[in-house]
């Protein structure tokens, strides 16, 4: 895969109807892992996240809570910022759709599309789900016009004059796009969903609302408010403005556009894979490279929801088990792209088995032996002299490429597997070699080689896992005697060199090791 010097990606801009839930945390953690991997590659990265604050859903939530929509949005967007901090998310831009600069970008974009004659007035009749902020076909709804996603909510009948976007005009151009760039929509299952939807014929969609004040007025008709999705998608572009630059499209698009990746959940695929590229085509702007739609999470096999009383709070989980535990479980356990489940005992078992036992114990017992048998230093061994068919070296030599390929294709569980394979081989090797008895037999050189190979294998595993469990990887590196921190982006040039760090055999002989301490406390339920 071609190596780029820049990589830009987005999470969705989350609705501020409520504080972050595990679904929004899931998308954001995955985006952060991709961003961290790209930084380790030495690339310049821009990770955009933020909040989607306009529209009827937010207006109604604020009314119910007797707050102004702006005060409500301020409060909830602050909760997003603090949750992302607790989950160790290193974003570069936080885009809020109530930022006054965003209104300027939206107006300019609207005018471009208007000038293409792609916006017209027409009558909109249909069933609207405020929770989805989307019109629904009658056949998509359940009994009594209940929404299939928000089953406790009824869709509302609308019959009003709205401005429409001429989506149908872009049918062929979109089909050509999907054909020419087969990886535009990922994974394949989502691409197929979109192809099948588009093949039924695209309908123009309304991009304005009457009787909704909370939003950006339609530039050519301030009696109407722009549809929240038309406004929100453009938040990705507003985010690209430098803090002190004039809010114009030209300025925003100068550096990071087109984005490499929009990471989203499968429920908002149509907006990103159909509406958004068509809007960009109309405005004459380049298209993003990829849209990846991940699956949905359930809890104990059940759909999560407030009304079901089974929501999973990412803040509670992170406080109880640590950010790394949350990040690891969701990315290791669930094949990215597919639906997945959270179950607390499974969560505890996996973390205990893989992080506390396999990885933690391997480091801990090896370090203790290095303290006893090698004066607390990396043993004096030259990695180049270890034969290429050594069981750990041979595995280590290909692990970096395996993990890189997995990260590049967003196959996070495979990246974890590449690292775990090293860890498991390390445990097996040390049991077979039994350095404690080699030491008793006076075979110091063999002891040195065994311990060097295992320490280096743990280092490599920690490096490969660093995008996912940055705090644990930092502890491992520090115990191996490095003074680095995977959570600090700046001045870590040595870490940002994947080609070098993801090799096997770079641990320096005689480096003074740190005191052995558990890297992950076993969880007792
Ligand atoms: N505001 C829009 C996005 C606008 S982007 C320009 C929106 N916001 S949201 O807050 O509803 O976003 C939710 C994100 O969380 C989506 O990516 C969605 O797929 C994800 N999830 C919501 N519930 C989820 C699960 N149960 N499981 C996994 N992710 C899910 O949509």
């Amino acid at each position: 895969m071609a190596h780029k010097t820049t990589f830009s990606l987005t999470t969705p801009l989350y609705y501020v109807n409520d504080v972050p839930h595990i679904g929004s945390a899931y998308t954001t953690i995955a985006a952060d892992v991709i961003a961290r991997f790209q930084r380790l590659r030495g690339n310049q990265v821009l990770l955009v996240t933020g909040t989607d604050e306009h529209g009827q859903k937010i207006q109604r939530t604020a009314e119910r809570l007797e707050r102004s929509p702006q005060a409500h949005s301020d409060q909830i967007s602050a909760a997003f910022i603090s949750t992302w901090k607790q989950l160790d998310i290193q974003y570069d831009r936080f885009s809020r759709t109530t930022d006054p600069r965003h209104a300027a970008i939206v107006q300019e974009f609207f005018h471009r599309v208007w000038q293409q004659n792609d916006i017209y007035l027409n009558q909109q009749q249909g069933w609207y789900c405020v929770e989805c902020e989307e019109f629904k076909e009658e056949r998509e709804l359940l009994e009594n016009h209940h929404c299939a996603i928000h089953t406790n909510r009824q869709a509302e009948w609308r019959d009003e004059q709205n401005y429409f976007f001429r989506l149908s005009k872009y049918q062929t151009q979109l089909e050509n796009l999907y054909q020419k760039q087969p990886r535009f929509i990922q994974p394949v299952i989502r691409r197929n969903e979109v192809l099948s939807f588009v093949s039924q014929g695209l309908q123009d969609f309304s991009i304005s609302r009457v009787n909704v004040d909370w939003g950006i007025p339609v530039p050519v008709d301030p009696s109407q408010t722009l549809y929240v999705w038309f406004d929100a998608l453009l938040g990705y572009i507003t985010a690209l403005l430098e803090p002190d630059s004039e809010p114009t499209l030209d300025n925003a698009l100068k550096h990071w556009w087109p984005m490499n990746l929009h990471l989203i959940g499968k429920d908002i695929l149509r907006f990103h894979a159909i509406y958004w590229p068509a809007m960009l085509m109309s405005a004459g702007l380049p298209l993003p490279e990829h849209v990846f739609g991940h699956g949905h999470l359930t809890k104990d096999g059940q759909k999560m929801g407030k009304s079901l009383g089974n929501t999973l709070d990412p803040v509670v989980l992170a406080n109880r088990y640590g950010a790394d535990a949350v990040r690891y479980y969701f990315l290791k356990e669930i094949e990215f792209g597919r639906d997945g489940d959270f179950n607390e005992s499974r969560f505890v078992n996996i973390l205990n088995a893989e992080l506390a036992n396999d990885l933690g114990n391997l480091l801990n017992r090896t370090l203790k032996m290095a303290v006893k048998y090698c004066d607390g230093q990396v043993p004096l061994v030259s990695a180049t002299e270890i034969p290429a068919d050594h069981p750990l070296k041979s595995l280590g030599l290909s692990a970096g490429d395996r993990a890189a390929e997995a990260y590049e294709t967003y196959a996070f569980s495979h990246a974890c597997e590449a690292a775990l394979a090293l860890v498991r081989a390390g445990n097996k090797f040390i049991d077979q070699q039994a350095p404690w008895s080699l030491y008793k037999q006076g075979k110091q050189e063999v002891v040195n080689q065994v311990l060097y190979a295992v320490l280096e294998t743990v280092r490599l595993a920690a490096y490969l896992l660093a995008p996912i469990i940055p705090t644990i990887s930092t502890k491992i590196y520090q115990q191996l005697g490095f003074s680095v921190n995977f959570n600090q982006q700046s001045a870590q040039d040595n870490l940002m060199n994947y080609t070098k760090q993801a090799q096997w055999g770079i641990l320096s002989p005689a480096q003074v090791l740190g005191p052995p301490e558990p890297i992950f406390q076993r969880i007792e339920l």
Side-chain angles (χ1 to χ4, degrees):
M1 203 167 280
H3 288 182
K4 293 196 193 136
T5 52
T6 65
F7 193 92
S8 52
L9 74 164
T10 64
T11 72
L13 305 184
Y14 301 108
Y15 285 131
V16 290
N17 58 313
D18 208 346
V19 293
H21 52 69
I22 199 69
S24 35
Y26 183 53
T27 323
T28 312
I29 290 170
D32 180 62
V33 168
I34 297 170
R36 284 174 181 265
F37 167 73
Q38 291 291 342
R39 289 192 202 104
L40 292 183
R41 276 291 212 194
N43 291 336
Q44 262 192 299
V45 175
L46 190 84
L47 169 56
V48 172
T49 187
T51 41
D52 180 358
E53 307 182 357
H54 288 140
Q56 191 156 28
K57 163 162 151 154
I58 308 305
Q59 186 173 319
R60 283 192 185 168
T61 308
E63 272 162 19
R64 206 181 56 240
L65 296 167
E66 299 181 354
R67 295 179 189 146
S68 76
Q70 187 64 62
H72 173 75
S73 301
D74 291 348
Q75 193 170 329
I76 304 289
S77 81
F80 273 90
I81 290 174
S82 94
T83 304
W84 298 162
K85 193 159 181 243
Q86 273 180 290
L87 289 170
D88 286 328
I89 307 297
Q90 295 183 329
Y91 58 83
D92 300 283
R93 300 279 164 85
F94 193 94
S95 189
R96 294 185 59 186
T97 55
T98 52
D99 176 348
R101 302 191 321 156
H102 177 60
I105 294 291
V106 172
Q107 279 151 9
E108 191 183 340
F109 187 91
F110 182 95
H111 278 294
R112 285 208 191 187
V113 177
W114 178 261
Q115 270 154 16
Q116 291 304 311
N117 196 23
D118 281 346
I119 296 175
Y120 63 95
L121 205 54
N122 203 355
Q123 196 66 19
Q124 167 76 64
Q125 286 185 324
W127 293 100
Y128 193 69
C129 171
V130 176
E131 286 302 300
C132 295
E133 291 281 17
E134 191 179 11
F135 277 101
K136 302 282 175 181
E137 298 291 329
E138 185 110 34
R139 63 182 151 79
E140 289 178 298
L141 295 169
L142 308 175
E143 218 177 305
N144 290 330
H145 300 108
H146 277 255
C147 169
I149 299 173
H150 306 97
T151 43
N152 55 344
R153 297 294 170 94
Q154 257 179 322
E156 299 170 17
W157 178 251
R158 295 285 155 83
D159 185 356
E160 57 188 47
Q161 266 222 326
N162 285 163
Y163 288 89
F164 278 70
F165 172 69
R166 236 180 263 286
L167 179 66
S168 55
K169 179 173 151 188
Y170 295 94
Q171 171 96 25
T172 314
Q173 274 188 66
L174 286 170
E175 281 169 342
N176 287 344
L177 163 73
Y178 308 142
Q179 234 43 61
K180 284 199 187 115
Q181 291 178 49
R183 287 169 45 80
F184 177 70
I185 305 164
Q186 294 177 53
V188 173
I189 176 176
R190 306 275 172 258
R191 173 180 143 82
N192 291 340
E193 274 167 38
V194 171
L195 291 186
S196 130
F197 182 81
V198 173
S199 71
Q200 292 163 33
L202 290 172
Q203 313 265 323
D204 297 348
F205 68 97
S206 67
I207 56 162
S208 73
R209 300 288 181 265
V210 288
N211 304 321
V212 178
D213 313 327
W214 183 237
I216 298 174
V218 172
V220 295
D221 179 355
S223 73
Q224 297 225 13
T225 301
L226 277 173
Y227 172 41
V228 59
W229 268 100
F230 190 87
D231 150 3
L233 287 161
L234 287 161
Y236 294 145
I237 290 184
T238 306
L240 306 182
L241 284 168
E242 295 301 322
D244 48 3
S245 65
E246 279 281 296
T248 64
L249 276 177
D250 275 353
N251 281 341
L253 298 168
K254 228 180 255 170
H255 293 305
W256 292 97
W257 193 262
M259 310 288 294
N260 295 84
L261 172 67
H262 292 308
L263 198 63
I264 55 166
K266 63 181 182 179
D267 52 326
I268 52 176
L269 185 64
R270 270 182 216 173
F271 294 100
H272 286 81
I274 303 173
Y275 294 12
W276 182 224
M279 285 164 59
L280 291 164
M281 285 170 180
S282 171
L285 300 181
L287 307 183
E289 198 180 344
H290 301 303
V291 173
F292 189 105
H294 65 66
H296 269 195
L297 304 175
T298 51
K299 188 172 176 212
D300 306 319
Q302 304 259 308
K303 205 178 144 180
M304 273 180 273
K306 276 208 162 160
S307 51
L308 295 166
N310 68 344
T311 50
L312 200 53
D313 184 340
V315 175
V316 170
L317 276 184
N319 281 340
R320 193 175 299 160
Y321 303 113
D324 278 7
V326 181
R327 297 167 64 101
Y328 185 79
Y329 177 83
F330 286 106
L331 295 195
K332 162 73 201 318
E333 258 315 277
I334 299 164
E335 194 184 320
F336 200 61
R338 289 177 179 266
D339 293 345
D341 191 49
F342 177 88
N343 168 276
E344 191 147 15
S345 54
R346 186 150 180 73
F347 177 85
V348 169
N349 287 344
I350 282 169
L351 296 172
N352 281 346
E354 295 176 4
L355 298 185
N357 287 357
D358 290 350
L359 180 61
N361 285 350
L362 178 62
L363 173 69
N364 201 259
R365 60 188 179 136
T366 316
L367 276 180
K368 283 181 179 156
M369 286 188 258
V371 169
K372 261 203 214 151
Y373 312 144
C374 309
D375 296 329
Q377 295 184 353
V378 176
L380 296 171
V381 168
S382 154
T384 46
E385 280 164 25
I386 298 178
D389 63 356
H390 181 283
L392 296 186
K393 184 173 183 177
S394 62
L395 200 59
L397 288 176
S398 62
D401 284 346
R402 272 182 67 197
E405 199 195 320
Y407 281 119
E408 277 175 356
T409 52
Y410 317 130
F412 307 114
S413 57
H414 293 185
C416 293
E417 281 302 340
L420 278 180
L422 290 171
V423 170
R424 291 190 181 124
N427 275 310
K428 188 169 159 206
F429 183 70
I430 209 160
D431 290 343
Q432 283 169 344
Q433 298 294 314
W436 47 93
S437 75
L438 292 168
Y439 182 75
K440 276 194 203 137
Q441 294 162 36
K443 296 180 175 165
Q444 183 66 44
E445 274 191 27
V446 193
V447 170
N448 286 354
Q449 208 193 70
V450 170
L451 294 186
Y452 180 91
V454 177
L455 289 172
E456 172 58 355
T457 298
V458 179
R459 181 205 63 77
L460 179 56
Y463 188 76
L464 301 182
L465 288 171
I468 298 175
I469 48 169
T471 306
I472 291 177
S473 293
T474 299
K475 285 187 191 161
I476 296 176
Y477 258 64
Q478 291 180 351
Q479 290 183 37
L480 291 173
F482 297 96
S483 58
V484 294
N485 186 344
F486 285 97
N487 281 314
Q488 277 165 11
Q489 287 184 53
S490 54
Q492 304 271 318
D493 292 351
N494 47 344
L495 290 183
M496 306 299 168
N497 187 343
Y498 190 93
T499 320
K500 176 156 180 263
Q501 292 277 334
Q503 272 178 15
W504 194 92
I506 65 159
L507 196 55
S508 302
Q511 176 158 297
V512 178
L513 298 164
E517 276 161 25
I519 51 155
F520 185 81
Q521 285 293 353
R522 256 189 88 78
I523 305 169
E524 306 295 344
L525 265 191

